[in-house]
Amino acid sequence: MVLLILACAGPSTVASTPIPIETPGPDTDDTDPAVPRPTDPPVHTGPSTDSDAPDSATPVLTADTGPAAGNPTGVSPPTGGPFDDTASTGLSTGPHTGAPADTSVPDSDAPDTDAPDTDAPDTGPPDTRVRFVALGDAGDGSPGQFAVADAIEAVCAQRGCDFALYLGDNLYPAGANSPTAPQFQSAFELPYAALDFPFHVVVGNHDYGNTYDPSLPPNEVAYTFYSQKWSLPALSYVFDRQNVRFIGIDTTAIQFGDGGPQAPLVEAATQTWSGWTLVFGHHPYLSNGAHGNAGAYDGVPATDPIGNGALMQTFFEDSICGAADLYLAGHDHDRQWLEPQCGTELVVSGAGARLRMLYGLNPTLFQASSLGFLYVVIDGDTLTGTFYDDQGVADFERVITRTP
């Protein structure tokens, strides 16, 4: 684990033009009734074959965690889509299949037959920054989701975005019963239509249905083949950007004791990696929101280790704390940056569409029960995280400097 030197800054001076839009009232419970959807949304009837889809992440490792193994949906996924392993890196990224890719290494001694264009303008060194947004609990097609999407569009137009981390509860109220379910359109494609970068997705408890139904999340994995934007190669997976390793985990499976190989996946991904390590999942380790801390979720007594998140607490303390530089979660519908705990920075960004009150007493650097998202820039050994509200106004910024 690397040493983190932390510096806390005040509100950012970079802010987009406020975007007026109706803001929904607080979400008072977790039953999440169905919400009105836009009428007659366009429906994808199959995967796009556009080879220019903006997925430039490099998948590294995956773990078939329970229901994602093989292809339990019974759907024969089409090949050649924007996130098909045979159409991009040649690395296996989950339960889908395809013809083997050419994995041969180019001969570095071969002559370069393309003569340089001496008249080409000097564009300077390549941009090695990693820039992304992180938000969760957003998939309801509500005015709040559209407002946050508009704010993301404004901030990304000003500052640049490479991708999004989508932190679960992607399809309210109860996930998707097929990879072509209409919720993918009304609660994802339509709200984010103006955003032209990939969303790297993990699933949340609502993606498992109103009860724990492991047959549902594989439909969200399969939807990867039908979207230019949605990327969920497996229920847990790893990808790299520059000097940053991202590890997506399925916290609901961990909570119910079905975490399978996720602990070995995290261990393998962090053991020899020398750059930044960011883990993203749905459930928080610590939170001042309505659900609370792992091991005491929702006030459930210790006699129920599944309901109270005790298995999650153990997983975090054994596999995440001290191994990751930053853990990003949703689940609670608010925005929090907690004071560093257990050797890892902890952020909750679950205000992508709906809100709840803050109740807990964990020490925080910032917390707000208001719609918004997190924007992160990693430039070498410096990470800058900025919380924006749904008007595109920055209300908190934190800078972390990493010592290799």
Side-chain angles (χ1 to χ4, degrees):
M1 178 62 192
V2 297
L3 174 66
L4 297 179
I5 302 174
L6 309 174
C8 186
S12 171
T13 58
V14 179
S16 62
T17 303
I19 302 165
I21 194 163
E22 176 187 357
T23 302
D27 182 20
T28 57
D29 58 43
D30 202 29
T31 57
D32 297 319
V35 297
R37 309 292 184 186
T39 58
D40 299 325
V43 177
H44 286 302
T45 58
S48 170
T49 56
D50 182 3
S51 61
D52 295 327
D55 179 27
S56 56
T58 303
V60 179
L61 300 168
T62 65
D64 288 333
T65 55
N71 185 18
T73 63
V75 176
S76 297
T79 59
F83 299 109
D84 182 7
D85 59 353
T86 65
S88 54
T89 64
L91 298 174
S92 175
T93 56
H96 54 287
T97 60
D102 180 8
T103 58
S104 59
V105 179
D107 182 0
S108 59
D109 296 326
D112 182 6
T113 57
D114 294 327
D117 182 358
T118 57
D119 295 327
D122 182 8
T123 58
D127 190 348
T128 59
R129 294 174 299 170
V130 179
R131 303 164 301 176
F132 63 92
V133 297
L135 68 159
D137 304 82
D140 63 8
S142 67
Q145 184 182 13
F146 279 85
V148 173
D150 286 345
I152 292 172
E153 181 185 4
V155 170
C156 290
Q158 184 181 57
R159 303 191 64 182
C161 293
D162 301 314
F163 58 90
L165 299 181
Y166 210 42
L167 303 175
D169 283 3
N170 310 313
L171 300 172
Y172 285 106
N177 60 13
S178 84
T180 56
Q183 298 99 303
F184 286 112
Q185 301 300 315
S186 61
F188 180 73
E189 300 290 350
L190 286 178
Y192 304 125
L195 305 179
D196 61 351
F197 46 77
F199 279 57
H200 298 289
V201 180
V202 292
V203 295
N205 53 294
H206 280 277
D207 301 304
Y208 276 86
N210 291 322
T211 60
Y212 181 65
D213 184 352
S215 72
L216 295 178
N219 293 316
E220 297 192 25
V221 175
Y223 184 66
T224 298
F225 299 96
Y226 292 84
S227 175
Q228 292 284 349
K229 196 166 295 179
W230 176 287
S231 178
L232 178 58
L235 294 182
S236 58
Y237 60 102
V238 179
F239 70 94
D240 294 341
R241 283 292 186 93
Q242 302 293 343
N243 64 331
V244 189
R245 175 156 289 179
F246 295 89
I247 306 172
I249 61 174
D250 177 2
T251 57
T252 305
I254 295 168
Q255 182 176 7
F256 280 84
D258 293 337
Q262 292 193 81
L265 175 75
V266 173
E267 181 180 357
T270 58
Q271 213 165 37
T272 59
W273 179 252
S274 59
W276 289 93
T277 300
L278 274 62
V279 180
F280 62 109
H282 182 64
H283 293 77
Y285 174 51
L286 299 177
S287 173
N288 287 337
H291 290 300
N293 299 339
Y297 284 158
D298 301 301
V300 174
T303 53
D304 182 359
I306 292 178
N308 71 9
L311 298 177
M312 196 96 67
Q313 179 185 15
T314 299
F315 179 87
F316 281 121
E317 293 173 354
D318 290 348
S319 300
I320 304 298
C321 288
D325 297 305
L326 175 65
Y327 176 67
L328 295 161
H331 197 45
D332 276 322
H333 302 168
D334 49 54
R335 296 177 294 144
Q336 306 173 54
W337 198 308
L338 293 102
E339 289 190 5
Q341 302 283 333
C342 76
T344 295
E345 297 269 330
L346 303 172
V347 170
V348 177
S349 184
R354 46 181 64 194
L355 298 174
R356 291 200 195 94
M357 298 299 294
L358 289 153
Y359 300 99
L361 299 176
N362 296 299
T364 62
L365 301 170
F366 170 82
Q367 63 179 27
S369 179
S370 56
L371 295 177
F373 62 97
L374 181 71
Y375 178 84
V376 177
V377 177
I378 300 176
D379 188 357
D381 292 323
T382 300
L383 181 153
T384 303
T386 308
F387 270 124
Y388 284 89
D389 67 15
D390 63 335
Q391 303 301 305
V393 175
D395 44 20
F396 175 78
E397 185 168 282
R398 180 164 174 78
V399 178
I400 305 169
T401 301
R402 176 181 174 277
T403 302

